[in-house]
Amino acid sequence: MTNDRVFNFSAGPSVMPESVLERAAREMMNYNGSGMSVMEMSHRSKIYQGIFDETKVKLKAALSVPDTHEILFLQGGATLQFAQIPMNLICGKAADYAVTGNFAGKAAREAEKYGTVNVIYDSTSTGHDRIPAQSELKFSENPEYFYYCANNTVYGTEWQYTPHAPCPVVCDMSSDILSRSVDVSKYGMIYAGAQKNMAPAGLTVVIINKSLAGRELAYTPEIMSYKTMIEKDSMLNTPPCWCIYMLGLMLDWLEANGGVEGMAELRKERSAIVYDVLDNSSLFIPHAQRASRSEMNVTFRTLSAELDAEFVKGAASRGLVNLKGHKLTGGLRASLYNAMPIEGAIKLAEYMKEFEVSHV
Ligand SMILES: *Cc1c(COP(=O)(O)O)cnc(C)c1O
């Protein structure tokens, strides 16, 4: 690690691998002999089309995306999908939602504008500290789709299984995509804003079963139609060119580091280092129930808001930054995405132990 870099525990936009940033910097002024930056290229040029196609191929390989599914590179963040999903998939009828956190709740509320939303599970009453078991999911009659959020970035919980539903399953994987292997064939659609675990902000990846396209409500803007975007290979208009290129660099890094299986081992190791401190502490209190814990976002607090603030400040002075919890929860949060080195988790754990010794 270069000396002036910090360990950045931000929930998003978040840390990227140094080697990826260095490569982007090297290629910034003159990409592959073109005499220009990727930022300056026409999205219709042959050279850019090559970058686009390769990135898609790499993502398809990294997640073993079956041929039944199409990969789309869209914009508008995960939040636009909260509306785009019901516009395209609810058909004026009903869908089932599991509300296990902030973003799933927002998605459910947005979907109400386009059809009937059945919230079939809601963990609000326990502060979103858990994920339901399959047996707790009581689906309604004939939902068009079932929606859930794989990793709850704000509350630090994560689904440890892929739920079965009597309809297509739609999943927000913004904060854990590419961190473990998933069987894409089990999903009608997976989507993720890129800025947590994939690329800079500005790109949304959608992986959709092509059979679900073409059911959009009549007034759906063309740019929000999955069918149109599939037909145009995400180039109805200018795509987020540079972010897609950056995703390609990230995917090269991912492959060189063991792919999603390698990432799954790393996230386990990284989070265990921090959870181990939490589990043996008389000062820090973990938020999530043990069986529902996220390996991406570790949420916890001390006994008081004042101590939390002191912890954050002390951490920053050691180059451990962005440990403040989300404003909805307060407390503390360490986001441990793919690019967080193990050393970052070790440094955080050491600081937590020292902080505890000096504050009990
Ligand atoms: C960050 C996040 C969002 C919101 O993403 P935007 O790209 O800012 O719209 C939605 N869902 C999850 C799980 C997130 O982590």
Side-chain angles (χ1 to χ4, degrees), residues 76-80 82 103 149 151 153 172 174-175 193 195-196:
T79 302
L80 189 68
F82 299 167
F103 293 113
C149 177
N151 184 72
T153 320
D172 177 357
S174 293
S175 50
Q195 71 272 20
K196 311 284 164 66

Side-chain angles (χ1 to χ4, degrees), residues 50-299:
I51 294 171
F52 183 98
D53 292 343
E54 265 178 45
T55 304
K56 243 176 100 170
V57 166
K58 286 179 209 164
L59 184 57
K60 189 172 159 79
L63 285 173
S64 308
V65 178
D67 291 337
T68 45
H69 287 60
E70 182 63 48
I71 295 172
L72 300 176
F73 294 140
L74 307 181
Q75 302 188 56
T79 302
L80 189 68
Q81 294 307 310
F82 299 167
Q84 190 162 355
I85 288 162
M87 272 190 173
N88 280 267
L89 304 181
I90 210 166
C91 307
K93 296 178 200 159
D96 288 357
Y97 277 70
V99 175
T100 54
N102 174 47
F103 293 113
K106 285 186 175 184
R109 283 192 297 279
E110 186 77 343
E112 282 169 3
K113 295 173 186 167
Y114 308 99
T116 303
V117 169
N118 303 307
V119 174
I120 63 160
Y121 179 81
D122 190 341
S123 51
T124 305
S125 64
T126 60
H128 296 305
D129 65 347
R130 70 183 295 268
I131 297 297
Q134 175 73 49
S135 59
E136 291 175 83
L137 302 174
K138 306 284 183 226
F139 296 97
S140 65
E141 287 280 309
N142 293 321
E144 294 301 309
Y145 61 87
F146 167 60
Y147 180 103
Y148 79 105
C149 177
N151 184 72
N152 297 286
T153 320
V154 173
Y155 295 92
T157 60
E158 187 173 17
W159 293 64
Q160 316 291 339
Y161 66 99
T162 297
H164 291 287
C167 57
V169 175
V170 174
C171 182
D172 177 357
M173 285 193 193
S174 293
S175 50
D176 68 352
I177 194 165
L178 293 173
S179 74
R180 57 178 172 181
S181 58
V182 289
D183 182 350
V184 176
S185 72
K186 288 185 177 166
Y187 293 87
M189 180 180 145
I190 290 168
Y191 76 96
Q195 71 272 20
K196 311 284 164 66
N197 211 27
M198 285 195 286
L203 166 66
T204 312
V205 169
V206 166
I207 304 171
I208 185 169
N209 188 318
K210 285 177 269 192
S211 70
L212 290 178
R215 308 199 290 160
E216 64 270 30
L217 299 169
Y219 55 77
T220 302
E222 198 174 18
I223 197 170
M224 287 175 71
S225 155
Y226 294 134
K227 180 168 181 273
T228 306
M229 280 304 197
I230 291 169
E231 283 165 6
K232 301 286 184 187
D233 199 11
S234 304
M235 289 222 203
L236 172 73
N237 68 328
T238 316
C241 301
W242 198 71
C243 295
I244 294 166
Y245 154 76
M246 286 298 290
L247 172 59
L249 302 196
M250 278 290 284
L251 288 164
D252 287 344
W253 173 86
L254 188 107
E255 204 203 330
N257 287 277
V260 289
E261 285 84 10
M263 293 301 119
E265 278 170 35
L266 285 174
R267 59 173 244 171
K268 193 180 208 89
E269 188 182 339
R270 225 185 265 121
S271 59
I273 293 166
V274 182
Y275 281 125
D276 185 56
V277 178
L278 287 181
D279 288 339
N280 293 293
S281 168
S282 50
L283 177 70
F284 296 107
I285 308 154
H287 177 71
Q289 291 186 19
R290 190 179 281 256
S292 301
R293 282 174 172 175
S294 167
E295 291 182 348
M296 307 305 282
N297 310 95
V298 179
T299 49

